[in-house]
């Protein structure tokens, strides 16, 4: 294989993983076929099997890539807000937003892959990849009081319910009431409907 074709093969693999990472979160693993995935990036099904031994192998790689994107997002919150406490509060604001609800393909993989992972065998690369990503997310959300898992579970449950009821008033209520519950002891957050303020207060966790 020439250097050019090797480079192209690497690029094709990267594109396939990136497309799968988004489409699996958007439509579910069973909602997108290998043929449709490859067609979305202008490649053939035959090209897929030159790169991946199976769809399951791609799912594991796509999930890992999605959690890599989440790591970059979390790091950007730390950079933008200067201290980790404020960054966590801003992440909660984003997570429980209509924007995040309505864009699952580029949203949190903890929620985006949750339904598919629940149907995966209890042992295997895909489940282990997902579990590791969830643990890393929880570690970022952790405080001196807990390991972050309660917050992650609450956020993911809320966004899944909000997506499942999108287009109804209940969806908006789920986002708003969950946000209020998580920030109640710290005062209202600016820019969030129903909090009754446009101030600059920052929650402390």
């Amino acid at each position: 294989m020439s250097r050019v074709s090797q480079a192209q093969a690497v690029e094709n693999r990267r594109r396939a993983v990136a497309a799968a990472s988004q489409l699996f979160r958007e439509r579910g693993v069973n909602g997108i076929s290998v043929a449709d995935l490859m067609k979305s990036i202008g490649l053939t099904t035959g090209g897929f099997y030159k790169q991946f031994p199976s769809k399951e192998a791609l799912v594991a790689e796509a999930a890992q890539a999605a959690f890599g994107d989440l790591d970059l997002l979390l790091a950007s919150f730390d950079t933008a807000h200067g201290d980790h406490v404020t960054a966590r509060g801003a992440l909660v604001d984003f997570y429980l937003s209509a924007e995040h609800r309505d864009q699952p393909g580029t949203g949190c993989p903890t929620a985006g892959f949750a339904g598919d992972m629940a149907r995966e065998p209890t042992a295997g690369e895909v489940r282990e990849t997902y579990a590791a990503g969830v643990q890393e997310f929880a570690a970022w959300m952790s405080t001196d009081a807990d390991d972050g898992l309660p917050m992650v579970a609450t956020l993911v449950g809320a966004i899944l319910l909000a997506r499942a009821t999108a287009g109804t008033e209940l969806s908006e209520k789920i986002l708003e009431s969950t946000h209020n519950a998580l920030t109640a002891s710290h005062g209202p957050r600016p820019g969030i409907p129903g909090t009754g303020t446009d101030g600059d207060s920052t929650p402390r966790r």
Side-chain angles (χ1 to χ4, degrees):
M1 184 178 289
S2 69
R3 290 184 179 180
V4 173
S5 59
Q6 285 179 341
Q8 189 60 59
V10 170
E11 174 61 13
N12 289 346
R13 184 185 185 91
R14 185 199 67 77
R15 290 172 60 208
V17 171
S21 176
Q22 179 170 338
L23 290 171
F24 288 161
R25 278 178 280 175
E26 203 170 84
R27 305 184 196 177
V29 170
N30 293 325
I32 183 80
S33 67
V34 167
D36 287 340
L37 170 65
M38 297 305 281
K39 183 179 179 180
S40 74
I41 58 173
L43 299 175
T44 65
T45 303
F48 173 86
Y49 290 105
K50 291 179 182 179
Q51 296 283 357
F52 306 97
S54 65
K55 186 177 181 180
E56 289 71 24
L58 175 60
V59 173
E61 198 162 333
Q64 186 172 36
F67 277 108
D69 290 341
L70 177 61
D71 288 343
L72 292 176
L73 176 68
L74 298 179
S76 74
F77 272 91
D78 278 326
T79 299
H81 295 281
D83 70 90
H84 193 59
V85 172
T86 305
R88 279 199 308 268
L91 188 278
V92 170
D93 291 350
F94 165 74
Y95 208 101
L96 297 173
S97 68
E99 176 188 1
H100 185 220
R101 177 196 62 195
D102 297 340
Q103 298 180 7
T106 55
C108 177
T110 311
F113 282 91
D116 290 305
M117 294 303 106
R119 291 184 286 272
E120 280 291 315
T122 55
E125 183 182 6
V126 176
R127 179 67 68 87
E128 290 173 1
T129 296
Y130 181 77
V134 174
Q135 288 179 322
E136 289 181 9
F137 183 24
W140 191 90
M141 293 297 301
S142 66
T143 67
D144 292 339
D146 64 64
D147 59 8
L149 286 171
M151 178 67 83
V152 168
T154 301
L155 291 173
V156 172
I159 204 67
L160 287 175
L161 286 175
R163 287 173 179 167
T165 57
T168 72
E169 290 184 5
L170 180 60
S171 182
E172 304 297 334
K173 289 181 180 178
I174 289 168
L175 294 177
E176 181 179 335
S177 62
T178 304
H179 185 278
N180 289 344
L182 291 178
T183 60
S185 61
H186 311 289
R189 289 284 294 170
I192 301 298
T195 59
T197 183
D198 293 318
D200 297 321
S201 60
T202 301
R204 297 195 61 82
R205 288 178 171 77

